[in-house]
Amino acid sequence: MPSIDLSGKVAVVTGSGRGLGLAYAHALAAHGASVVVNDVDEAVAEQAVKSLTEAGGTAVAEVVPVGTTEAAERLVDRAVTEFGRLDVLVTNAGILRDKVLWKMTDDDFDAVITTHLKGTFTCARAAAVRMREQGEGGSLILVGSPAGQRGNFGQTNYAAAKAGIAAMARTWSMELGRAGITVNAIVPVAATAMTETIPAFAPYIEAMRNGEPLPDFLRKGEGFGTPEDCAALVPFLASEAARGITGQAIGIGGDKVALWSHPQEIKTAYADGGWTPETLADAFPTSVGAELQSVGIPAPKLPEA
């Protein structure tokens, strides 16, 4: 079994004051990486640094909301100033402003797109510049979501941002390949503040907090677990063991890891000379229309009472 050793490597993890981001930071630090913790709340960020150092890791905090070029450059500069280099970027920072389309405001849309999508872009750009200057490769690990893969009711802004993040991972994997920089999107599913409001999960999350283990139908069937369950993927993708993995969307949660497919044509039909509305109406139901795809995140399959 290969050893995952990140000694001497430096990572920036955005939105790492708590939840999944903090779990990623701990996993990186536990495998030897020095970590720049990021959060918008100074007290939360400092507490995260304390938890990392008390566990034997090395970490500093940079308190700034991601989204702007200035914030991205501050994060990269902090890594270089404190630790001399940058090898790993995990773009985890995010917010929610959930509403159905006809109730979503411009501010609701812009806030989520700025943090998730533009924040990923600006941070990845700043990191890529630094990594290319170093000339030793690196890892960009972009945090996606099942909502970005399949859509989700009430999450126009969030689903659009996460779908864009997966597309950026594929694009950047091509652009940065010659520099030895891998780029992957991860699709975590875990018990967090963002998922505990789902009614089907709520009683199991509450039981977990009271010391009970999550049942197998969640950990295996749904791939749903703790943030720590998801965190293992991050040091793996940052390591030499994953040098040949790039441009992928990889899901993880509970006891499950999965590779998501890329969008692709699944059925085709042809008409000599091209299509008209009438020929489409005639042929569509029995040709490409016979395999229309489902949308949305499937509801959990709860065990029968």
Side-chain angles (χ1 to χ4, degrees):
M1 186 175 295
S3 174
I4 304 300
D5 184 5
L6 302 179
S7 300
K9 293 188 180 294
V10 179
V12 169
V13 185
T14 69
S16 50
R18 65 187 88 198
L20 280 165
L22 181 57
Y24 300 149
H26 269 283
L28 288 163
H31 287 83
S34 300
V35 180
V36 176
V37 169
N38 163 250
D39 200 273
V40 296
D41 186 316
E42 184 175 2
V44 169
E46 292 298 342
Q47 179 58 41
V49 169
K50 181 180 178 182
S51 72
L52 286 162
T53 55
E54 288 180 346
T58 302
V60 296
E62 185 66 24
V63 179
V64 64
V66 302
T68 65
T69 295
E70 178 189 11
E73 291 177 348
R74 275 180 56 180
L75 288 165
V76 172
D77 289 346
R78 187 67 188 276
V80 175
T81 300
E82 292 286 342
F83 304 119
R85 58 185 297 108
L86 176 64
D87 304 281
V88 182
L89 170 70
V90 184
T91 58
N92 173 74
I95 60 172
L96 290 178
R97 297 288 187 273
D98 293 354
K99 288 177 185 172
V100 291
L101 172 61
W102 56 95
K103 293 184 178 180
M104 185 170 289
T105 67
D106 287 3
D107 287 344
D108 293 330
F109 186 85
D110 291 345
V112 170
I113 293 298
T114 295
T115 301
H116 285 277
L117 191 63
K118 189 175 180 183
T120 296
F121 162 67
T122 53
C123 288
R125 179 178 59 187
V129 169
R130 176 63 192 181
M131 290 175 185
R132 292 180 77 251
E133 289 174 350
Q134 291 173 176
E136 300 175 27
S139 302
L140 303 183
I141 301 169
L142 319 181
V143 180
S145 166
Q149 305 295 105
R150 296 187 52 84
N152 196 32
F153 189 95
Q155 290 195 312
T156 292
N157 43 14
Y158 180 76
K162 292 302 191 181
I165 285 169
M168 290 194 297
R170 293 190 286 268
T171 299
W172 296 341
S173 71
M174 294 183 282
E175 295 178 349
L176 296 171
R178 290 184 63 182
I181 301 169
T182 60
V183 190
N184 293 286
I186 64 173
V187 185
V189 180
T192 67
M194 290 187 179
T195 57
E196 66 183 3
T197 56
I198 300 172
F201 289 161
Y204 299 100
I205 295 174
E206 182 63 26
M208 181 186 70
R209 288 177 175 160
N210 291 329
E212 297 180 27
L214 288 171
D216 275 357
F217 86 88
L218 281 179
R219 291 191 59 83
K220 292 183 170 62
E222 300 298 325
F224 182 85
T226 67
E228 289 72 25
D229 291 322
C230 297
L233 187 54
V234 170
F236 165 64
L237 288 175
S239 74
E240 290 304 310
R243 281 302 90 196
I245 303 171
T246 193
Q248 304 303 302
I250 304 170
I252 190 167
D255 297 329
K256 176 182 175 182
V257 66
L259 183 68
W260 283 86
S261 67
H262 297 320
Q264 58 185 333
E265 296 175 344
I266 60 171
K267 193 169 181 63
T268 59
Y270 302 91
D272 291 340
W275 292 92
T276 67
E278 291 76 16
T279 56
L280 280 169
D282 179 60
F284 198 88
T286 57
S287 57
V288 295
E291 296 189 26
L292 296 179
Q293 301 297 286
S294 63
V295 299
I297 301 170
K301 296 179 181 178
L302 301 178
E304 295 183 3

